[in-house]
Amino acid sequence: MSAIPLRKDALFPTPVLVHSSPAHPAAPVIEERARKAAAKAPATGTGYRRVRAPEWLVSALAMALGIAACVAVWEMVSKFNASIPNPAVVGKAAIAIFSDPFYRKGPNDQGIGWNVLMSLQRVGIGFGLAALVGIPLGFAVGRFRFLSDMAAPIIAILKPVSPLAWLPIGLLVFKAANPAAIYVIFVCSLWPMIVNTAVGVRQIPQDYLNVARVLNLSEWKVFTKILFPAVLPYMITGVRLSVGVAWLVIVAAEMLTGGVGIGFWVWDEWNNLKVEHIIIAIITIGVVGLALEYVMVMLAKRFSYN
Amino acid sequence: MEKFLRVESVGMKFETKKGDFVALTGIDLTIRKGEFVSLIGHSGCGKSTLLNLVAGLLRPTEGAMLLAEREIAGPGPDRGVVFQNHSLLPWLTCFENIHLAVERVFGAGESKAQLNERVSRALDLVHLTPAAQKYPHEISGGMKQRVGIARALSMEPKMLLLDEPFGALDALTRAHLQDELVKIVAAAGSTVLMVTHDVDEAVLLSDRVVMMTNGPAATIGEVLEVGLPRPRNRLALANDARYMACRRSVLEFLYQKQLKEAA
Ligand SMILES: Nc1ncnc2c1ncn2[C@@H]1O[C@H](COP(=O)(O)OP(=O)(O)OP(=O)(O)O)[C@@H](O)[C@H]1O
Ligand SMILES: [Mg+2]
């Protein structure tokens, strides 16, 4: 019964439906488009088969269209609000900035490349330390019920705390901006790492552990051949979440602590009232975050076994 | 007549959220060295549970279990297990899955080349040499089961525990592997405990067929001595009176004596 209406739908494409409802406000536009398409058809069609654009081309066009729309809105906003620089101004400033990303004129005036690298370095160190601590801790918490019960209330209470709330304590303990920022990254990366690793350990199917038991594998073999590979995808999810959060947090932390870094740069340009530079910074932060995410997804793909 | 495996008044109770669940009760079973015993019964009666008890993966809540006069304290590579759901490690290739077992059993005394040779032979036995480098998710269900069988056989265990090893196989492959299994077992003198749903398989392969009643609190209902001479030929047996009688008595047990409770 359902087959017949389905075929009908396929036989009568949308323009027919539009004709049947002339009251539709968009109808004239669509009709016009249809007429144009019809006029074009003899030119492109060879008469044998319809040439369709490949899917990637369509999605690339859609992406370009999305970005163009965004820029258009921005242009409009800048027209009505003089304090927002328009895309052309920002573009010019971006060319100037990116033509010399690695200059150094004293400690507080360095190229955007240095600022990004400094931020990445802080994220890398804080995050690496968090992995060193969090992953083994996650294994332990996942493997032993007692430890899990011990850790549960601490993690539950500390996880929802904004990492920036830890900053004063960091400043107090380390008495310097840079280690305090690293320490904030460490704290915010730690929870996703512990939680995801622990979940990974807990979900290992009993079947795999039974294999280990039947073969009577050594503890080392159990770890390398069963526990570790089974948990790896979860661990990478934890790493991915951590890196994402860390990149969000570093900008805010640097705004508060100063020094060299993309977050500090944003603050500095705000003090100089160079709004075009702030917009450039926003886009740069977004692109770097995207790149980090991409690397992590690639890593996850490489190590997933399904 | 050496008593190799002794299961004495074993009971198994699972603690579940809805209270205790008695899966098995009063199981008495002795298996001689080199004997081939099948476990047959309706789904959910506790066949896998009994096999896992012998494997040492579960501890009985009642009774005692002895293997070669030693209490079964846990699992070990002297009992090769083919799991009902094949249980291959998804991040290892077929070759590596078997290698893990071979290395554990023979790694101490043999060279790398010898170990690899063992793995290759095991794969060849189940006709999976072309799939050696494939991952479990890249092969069919029947192939996975064959890798599981190869893994258990490669360990050359004193006792083989098979949980529906041929369940997911087509009739031809199944017949072929059954014949292979009989040959391997005869050559190695292994003792076998095999769970099956298939009456023909049970009668064709076994020295004895152990029939289980329906759960909960399942126990051994009847034990059938097959008593057919070996080697057995599946074609010749098709019209054999003794074979037919065995088949009939297992079918009667399953579909007359135990059916009502199953419904
Ligand atoms: N870990 C467990 N916890 C609670 N109940 C269990 C557990 N394992 C098995 N059971 C129960 O014990 C009974 C027997 O299970 P078992 O897996 O041994 O059946 P089976 O005979 O192998 O069935 P099938 O032929 O379908 O594989 C079932 O009712 C099952 O629900
Ligand atoms: Mg079972």
Side-chain angles (χ1 to χ4, degrees):
Chain A
M1 190 199 123
S2 67
I4 292 164
L6 232 160
R7 281 195 60 191
K8 255 188 194 161
D9 272 1
L11 285 174
F12 299 107
T14 36
V16 174
L17 293 177
V18 170
H19 277 298
S20 69
S21 60
H24 195 285
V29 180
I30 293 173
E31 265 177 54
E32 191 194 0
R33 229 187 263 156
R35 223 177 298 128
K36 268 189 191 160
K40 247 188 186 173
T44 52
T46 51
Y48 286 105
R49 62 177 232 248
R50 278 217 327 248
V51 182
R52 272 218 199 147
E55 220 157 283
W56 65 265
L57 191 66
V58 174
S59 56
L61 275 175
M63 282 180 202
L65 203 68
I67 292 173
C70 195
V71 172
V73 169
W74 172 11
E75 179 79 49
M76 295 276 281
V77 170
S78 66
K79 275 226 164 66
F80 292 110
N81 187 336
S83 58
I84 305 283
N86 65 26
V89 171
V90 172
K92 231 177 257 165
I95 291 169
I97 282 179
F98 284 105
S99 60
D100 186 15
F102 291 107
Y103 74 86
R104 267 193 172 136
K105 292 183 202 154
N108 283 334
D109 187 8
Q110 304 192 7
I112 191 163
W114 288 122
N115 282 299
V116 169
L117 284 182
M118 281 304 289
S119 297
L120 279 176
Q121 188 193 34
R122 286 191 191 109
V123 166
I125 295 174
F127 167 80
L129 289 174
L132 278 183
V133 176
I135 289 173
L137 220 58
F139 266 101
V141 167
R143 196 99 176 91
F144 303 108
R145 184 64 195 268
F146 190 80
L147 288 181
S148 156
D149 290 345
M150 257 174 79
I154 304 171
I155 293 178
I157 290 174
L158 295 186
K159 208 171 63 165
V161 176
S162 163
L164 293 175
W166 294 90
L167 190 60
I169 296 180
L171 288 168
L172 198 72
V173 172
F174 297 106
K175 301 198 166 54
N178 197 37
I182 290 173
Y183 152 85
V184 168
I185 296 301
F186 171 81
V187 171
C188 77
S189 308
L190 195 59
W191 312 124
M193 216 97 81
I194 296 179
V195 170
N196 279 286
T197 307
V199 167
V201 171
R202 254 179 247 134
Q203 62 69 46
I204 297 178
Q206 189 59 43
D207 292 344
Y208 302 158
L209 298 175
N210 278 349
V211 171
R213 291 175 63 202
V214 164
L215 296 181
N216 220 340
L217 295 177
S218 64
E219 274 303 313
W220 175 245
K221 280 266 172 198
V222 172
F223 183 78
T224 55
K225 296 287 178 182
I226 294 174
L227 288 186
F228 191 75
V231 173
L232 198 57
Y234 288 79
M235 244 162 61
I236 291 175
T237 303
V239 165
R240 219 176 100 193
L241 292 175
S242 295
V243 168
V245 173
W247 189 241
L248 285 180
V249 166
I250 192 66
V251 175
E254 285 173 350
M255 280 175 137
L256 296 173
T257 61
V260 182
I262 191 74
F264 171 69
W265 195 69
V266 170
W267 197 246
D268 207 32
E269 298 308 298
W270 165 238
N271 287 333
N272 299 338
L273 272 177
K274 286 205 179 134
V275 184
E276 63 269 28
H277 285 186
I278 295 178
I279 293 173
I280 292 168
I282 289 173
I283 295 170
T284 309
I285 292 167
V287 169
V288 172
L290 186 70
L292 285 177
E293 172 77 11
Y294 181 77
V295 168
M296 289 301 149
V297 169
M298 280 309 171
L299 211 67
K301 255 197 202 142
R302 166 71 186 74
F303 287 107
S304 80
Y305 43 83
N306 285 323
Chain B
M1 191 174 96
E2 192 188 339
K3 285 172 185 162
F4 187 58
L5 174 75
R6 295 212 325 243
V7 179
E8 287 170 358
S9 37
V10 158
M12 187 68 207
K13 196 158 61 183
F14 289 110
E15 284 171 22
T16 65
K17 280 180 192 135
K18 289 186 219 146
D20 286 355
F21 177 83
V22 181
L24 298 174
T25 180
I27 303 272
D28 281 296
L29 179 66
T30 20
I31 299 182
R32 294 187 306 272
K33 201 166 176 57
E35 197 177 14
F36 196 126
V37 174
S38 289
L39 272 179
I40 200 164
H42 287 291
S43 180
C45 70
K47 305 181 293 294
S48 298
T49 305
L50 181 52
L51 200 84
N52 287 343
L53 282 167
V54 177
L57 290 169
L58 295 172
R59 301 300 311 274
T61 46
E62 256 174 65
M65 319 224 317
L66 297 139
L67 186 74
E69 302 303 323
R70 288 252 209 97
E71 173 90 32
I72 294 178
D78 57 339
R79 279 150 289 151
V81 183
V82 176
F83 295 95
Q84 188 165 7
N85 49 9
H86 56 76
S87 297
L88 300 179
L89 301 175
W91 44 84
L92 299 182
T93 62
C94 297
F95 189 95
E96 290 165 339
N97 263 291
I98 300 174
H99 193 271
L100 191 66
V102 168
E103 191 186 31
R104 170 67 186 88
V105 180
F106 304 102
E110 295 186 7
S111 71
K112 270 188 187 155
Q114 278 171 310
L115 295 181
N116 286 344
E117 170 60 26
R118 276 181 186 277
V119 178
S120 302
R121 237 182 300 143
L123 275 168
D124 190 44
L125 205 64
V126 294
H127 296 282
L128 279 179
T129 305
Q133 296 311 323
K134 288 199 170 148
Y135 287 89
H137 65 93
E138 296 170 327
I139 61 179
S140 72
M143 289 161 89
K144 277 182 231 178
Q145 226 168 3
R146 273 143 71 193
V147 178
I149 295 169
R151 176 171 64 186
L153 292 177
S154 72
M155 297 158 68
E156 298 185 357
K158 282 190 232 150
M159 179 149 204
L160 264 177
L161 303 172
L162 312 169
D163 199 343
E164 297 185 32
F166 309 122
L169 300 179
D170 63 285
L172 275 177
T173 317
R174 172 191 283 250
H176 167 76
L177 278 180
Q178 285 170 345
D179 294 345
E180 285 300 326
L181 179 68
V182 168
K183 270 188 234 158
I184 292 161
V185 164
S190 328
T191 311
V192 184
L193 182 60
M194 178 180 79
V195 170
T196 181
H197 273 138
D198 183 335
V199 177
D200 284 299
E201 180 172 285
V203 175
L204 183 70
L205 300 186
S206 318
D207 298 310
R208 277 190 297 157
V209 180
V210 171
M211 293 171 257
M212 294 185 60
T213 63
N214 289 327
T219 188
I220 293 174
E222 282 177 30
V223 179
L224 170 79
E225 282 280 353
V226 175
L228 289 166
R230 290 178 190 272
R232 297 172 186 168
N233 177 316
R234 66 176 68 237
L235 285 179
L237 282 178
N239 297 316
D240 185 284
R242 174 75 198 150
Y243 180 82
M244 307 271 265
C246 289
R247 223 177 149 265
R248 190 179 169 76
S249 70
V250 177
L251 283 171
E252 266 172 12
F253 177 86
L254 287 179
Y255 297 106
Q256 283 178 2
K257 297 175 195 164
Q258 292 298 317
L259 189 64
K260 262 178 236 144
E261 294 168 51

